[in-house]
Amino acid sequence: MPKMRFVLASYGTRGDIEPSVVVARELMRRGHDVRMAVPPDLVEFAESAGVPAVAYGLNTQTWLDLYRNLWTSFFRAIWRVREVRRLWREMWEVSDEIWVDMGRTLTSLADGADVLFTGQSYQEPAANVAEYYGIPFVTLHHVPARANGQLVTILPAPLGRLSMQIFDWVAWALNKRVEDAQRRELGLPKARRHPTRRIADRGSLEIQAYDAVCFPGLAAEWAKWGNQRPFVGALTMEQSTDVDDEVTSWIAHGTPPIFFGFGSMPVESPGDAIQMIAAACAELGERALIGAGWSDFREVPHFDHVKVVGAVSYAKVFPACRAVVHHGGSGTTAAGLRAGVPTLILSMDVNQTVWGAQVKRLKVGTTRRFSTTTRESLVADLRKILAPDYVARARELGSRMSTPAESVVAAADVMESFAQSRRLS
C-alpha cells in the first residue's frame, strides 16, 4: 500500500476522541502520514498516544458545561422558559464559534491530504473542507446517525426513519447561517440539501464504529449502500492503568462487584451518589466498585463494601464484575457488552438515551435517567438485570461482539481501501 496523508479531526470528550486516535495510530503503524485535530484540552492526550495533533475548536469542558446546563434546565425546570431560552442561545453562539474555528483549522491542515476523516460531532464543517479540496471524506459513527428504522425504538420503523430525516433538516436549519458563511468563505456554492444527504451522495465512507449485532436489522436495511457503511465494531485503546493490579486484587478477595462509573459526565453531588450506591448494594448484598471519572469523590463517606478508584482498564475489570452501571457513553457501553455482563444505563443527556434504549431492547440491561434515580429504583433495576435470563443473554451477546484488535484493523483496512480506490478513479 503506497504511503498516503490522512487528516483526522475529532471533537468531544475523551470518549469521543479515543476511537479516532486508535485509527490514527494504526494508520501511522502502517507507514502513513497522519495529522489530527482535537479539542485544545485533548491535544496532550492525542500526543501521548503518539499522534501529532493541533487544537481544534474550544476546550471540551466549555462546551460540556453549556450542554449539561441546558438539558438539566430543560428536564428539571422547563417552565422557566426565559432561562432555557438563554442557555439555548448561549449554546448555539458557542457552537457557531466552534464551527468557524474548525473550518479554518481544517482548511489549513487538509491542504494536500489524500483523505479527510472526522468523528461524529461537527461533520458538516469538515465535509465542506473536503468538498473544497475535492478529497475523499470519511466519517466515524458511534451510533447509527443516518436515517434508519432501528434507532428510535419507541416508534414503528417507518416513523423512526421519518423522525431522523426530519431531525436532519431541523439540524441543518439551525446551522444554516454559519454553514452558508463557511461555504462563501471557501468559494463553494450555496448548499441546497442537508449535510448528511450531501455526505452520502458524494460517496463518502461512513464507518459504523459499533457491532451490527447491537442493532438487529440495521445491516439488512443499509445493504443498499454496499460498502459505504461498513460495521467495524467499537474502537478503544484498552490502556492499562496504575491501579489495575490493585483493583483486580480487591475484586479477587471478595464476591464480584458491580461497577459504577460516569466517565466525563460529572456527578452533581458525589456524596449523595455514593450514599445511594452504598445503600442499594448493601440491601442486595453486593460490593460496589466506583470509577470516579471527572467527578470528585475524595470527600465522601467510606464503606467497607465500596471501593472508589480513578481510571481503570475496562477490558480487564468489567469481565470480573457482576454488572456495569454507567452513563451510556458509546465506549463504556461497548466495553460492558464485550465483557458479557448485564448493563444499567443511567443517562445524563439525550444522546446517552440511545444506548439505554438499545440495551433494554436487547434485554441485556435496562435504563433510566440518572436525575430520576433513587435508592429504591436502583435496587429494583439491579435486581432486574442480575436475574439469570439477563446474565445469560448478556454473555451470549458478548460472545458475538468484535474484539478491539479486530475493530481497529477493520477500520484501517476500509480507510486504506477507500483512499486507494479514490486515487485510482
Side-chain angles (χ1 to χ4, degrees):
M1 179 70 65
K3 181 177 181 178
M4 288 178 282
R5 183 166 184 251
F6 291 88
V7 171
L8 295 88
S10 190
Y11 192 77
T13 64
R14 171 171 166 166
D16 298 306
I17 305 305
E18 185 171 324
S20 300
V21 172
V22 170
V23 175
R25 289 201 311 181
E26 176 63 15
L27 291 171
M28 290 178 66
R29 190 191 68 77
R30 298 183 182 199
H32 298 297
D33 178 19
V34 176
R35 295 291 182 273
M36 280 204 75
V38 300
D41 49 350
L42 287 168
V43 169
E44 183 178 353
F45 164 65
E47 292 184 338
S48 70
V51 181
V54 300
Y56 183 62
L58 301 181
N59 281 342
T60 300
Q61 193 62 54
T62 302
W63 172 249
L64 191 62
D65 287 345
L66 283 170
Y67 186 78
R68 185 184 64 247
N69 291 342
L70 171 66
W71 288 110
T72 299
S73 296
F74 183 83
F75 285 111
R76 288 187 179 175
I78 192 172
W79 59 88
R80 293 164 58 181
V81 176
R82 184 175 297 178
E83 175 69 7
V84 173
R85 286 179 62 187
R86 182 188 66 79
L87 288 169
W88 176 265
R89 184 170 57 252
E90 186 177 353
M91 187 184 76
W92 281 104
E93 287 172 354
V94 171
S95 179
D96 287 354
E97 183 180 346
I98 291 172
W99 185 304
V100 170
D101 180 84
M102 287 177 170
R104 290 173 180 168
T105 298
L106 283 184
T107 301
S108 172
L109 196 63
D111 191 6
D114 292 294
V115 172
L116 177 56
F117 167 109
T118 185
Q120 189 156 317
S121 297
Y122 289 100
Q123 293 185 3
E124 301 88 348
N128 290 330
V129 172
E131 182 181 344
Y132 170 68
Y133 283 120
I135 57 178
F137 189 53
V138 179
T139 63
L140 185 75
H141 299 163
H142 49 77
V143 292
R146 301 300 186 240
N148 66 84
Q150 314 301 320
L151 183 67
V152 188
T153 55
I154 62 173
L155 296 175
L159 288 179
R161 193 177 301 111
L162 177 61
S163 69
M164 294 186 72
Q165 291 169 344
I166 292 172
F167 177 83
D168 285 339
W169 283 102
V170 171
W172 184 37
L174 291 170
N175 286 311
K176 197 168 188 314
R177 181 181 59 81
V178 68
E179 184 180 26
D180 286 346
Q182 182 196 15
R183 291 181 68 86
R184 281 195 305 271
E185 189 173 309
L186 292 172
L188 294 172
K190 193 170 184 178
R192 302 298 179 187
R193 292 168 297 167
H194 61 77
T196 56
R197 183 78 254 175
R198 280 179 269 141
I199 290 170
D201 288 348
R202 280 195 70 211
S204 304
L205 180 67
E206 299 176 313
I207 297 174
Q208 309 303 305
Y210 51 90
D211 282 284
V213 296
C214 294
F215 292 89
L218 183 60
E221 181 176 344
W222 278 351
K224 62 184 179 182
W225 294 97
N227 297 324
Q228 197 171 332
R229 293 180 182 171
F231 294 86
V232 302
L235 298 160
T236 178
M237 295 173 69
E238 285 196 302
Q239 285 182 310
S240 297
T241 74
D242 295 337
V243 300
D244 287 346
D245 290 341
E246 174 194 338
V247 171
T248 53
S249 176
W250 178 82
I251 292 174
H253 283 81
T255 58
I258 298 171
F259 177 87
F260 296 82
F262 302 98
S264 58
M265 306 302 292
V267 175
E268 187 174 348
S269 176
D272 290 345
I274 202 169
Q275 291 273 11
M276 177 177 68
I277 291 169
C281 287
E283 183 173 339
L284 293 169
E286 303 285 352
R287 295 196 300 164
L289 176 63
I290 300 177
W294 284 17
S295 300
D296 186 357
F297 280 90
R298 288 175 296 181
E299 303 297 327
V300 296
H302 172 76
F303 299 91
D304 290 340
H305 65 297
V306 177
K307 183 176 181 61
V308 180
V309 297
V312 295
S313 169
Y314 291 166
K316 289 183 179 179
V317 171
F318 282 8
C321 294
R322 289 260 282 149
V324 293
V325 181
H326 57 84
H327 59 300
S330 296
T332 313
T333 303
L337 295 178
R338 278 172 167 162
V341 295
T343 296
L344 169 58
I345 289 179
L346 303 179
S347 59
M348 296 187 181
D349 72 22
V350 174
N351 292 327
Q352 294 159 3
T353 62
V354 169
W355 280 112
Q358 206 57 27
V359 300
K360 189 172 183 178
R361 177 190 182 193
L362 295 167
K363 296 183 179 180
V364 296
T366 192
T367 185
R368 73 174 64 241
R369 288 193 60 79
F370 180 81
S371 61
T372 65
T373 301
T374 63
R375 180 188 63 80
E376 292 79 11
S377 73
L378 185 56
V379 168
D381 288 339
L382 289 174
R383 278 202 175 112
K384 181 176 184 177
I385 69 171
L386 291 173
D389 53 339
Y390 277 82
V391 173
R393 282 191 295 267
R395 187 180 300 117
E396 192 278 330
L397 180 66
S399 69
R400 292 188 287 141
M401 298 278 287
S402 62
T403 67
E406 292 169 338
S407 296
V408 67
V409 168
D413 283 349
V414 296
M415 282 188 66
E416 281 186 330
S417 298
F418 177 68
Q420 185 67 4
S421 66
R422 290 305 182 91
R423 258 189 175 186
L424 299 175
S425 62

